[in-house]
Amino acid sequence: MLLGVGLYVTGSIEAVRLYCDAFGMELRYPVLLKDGSGYYHSELYKDGKEVCNVIEAEHTAGPNPVQLYFVFQTRQELERAFELLSQGGMVEMPPQPLPWSPWAANVRDRFGVRWYLTLPQHYPGPDFVPER
């Protein structure tokens, strides 16, 4: 399993510039929103290793704009974690296939922690445009 961090912010393009400058990181795999106003997804790397993702928040960032993620090797492991984390929590996206993952889910656990659960991912083709 891999643990990672996603940051949901308003003004994601400016945030990425700031984080890259402040921490000497580089932007990889930027996917802009359809209207170009922010990042649907972006990955920041330091010394060849992924540090975090930066995503444009759908609304003004709340008290917990951070999302942790785990990459599971099997759908069964993912489903088990999803069931446990969703008990007393809030399902933000039920398990489903995505353009970059064969199976993924978003859930906020009962403690308010946001989780993105996924099987090993791949990059969609260069013609991918998010609909959000």
Side-chain angles (χ1 to χ4, degrees):
M1 286 187 214
L2 169 71
L3 174 66
V5 178
L7 305 175
Y8 285 77
V9 301
T10 52
S12 57
I13 293 172
E14 185 179 345
V16 163
R17 283 190 207 118
L18 172 64
Y19 302 153
C20 285
D21 288 346
F23 302 113
M25 294 190 286
E26 71 174 289
L27 170 63
R28 293 192 189 173
Y29 193 60
V31 179
L32 288 170
L33 292 169
K34 197 174 199 175
D35 65 4
S37 64
Y39 287 114
Y40 179 79
H41 177 82
S42 67
E43 298 174 1
L44 303 185
Y45 281 70
K46 174 78 174 178
D47 300 325
K49 295 183 179 160
E50 185 176 354
V51 174
C52 65
N53 299 315
V54 179
I55 301 101
E56 186 69 29
E58 293 182 33
H59 48 75
T60 303
N64 187 12
V66 174
Q67 179 181 58
L68 302 176
Y69 67 87
F70 263 95
V71 178
F72 295 90
Q73 294 307 307
T74 69
R75 187 168 164 173
Q76 182 181 9
E77 291 173 317
L78 186 152
E79 294 280 352
R80 181 179 182 280
F82 175 79
E83 285 301 319
L84 291 170
L85 293 169
S86 62
Q87 291 174 10
M90 183 177 85
V91 173
E92 294 180 346
M93 180 184 76
Q96 59 188 278
L98 297 172
W100 50 85
S101 173
W103 204 243
N106 285 325
V107 62
R108 189 180 302 260
D109 70 22
R110 67 182 177 271
F111 305 106
V113 177
R114 297 174 70 175
W115 295 96
Y116 173 68
L117 312 174
T118 186
L119 293 181
Q121 302 190 134
H122 57 275
Y123 295 133
D127 58 342
F128 173 71
V129 177
E131 288 299 318
R132 188 174 85 146

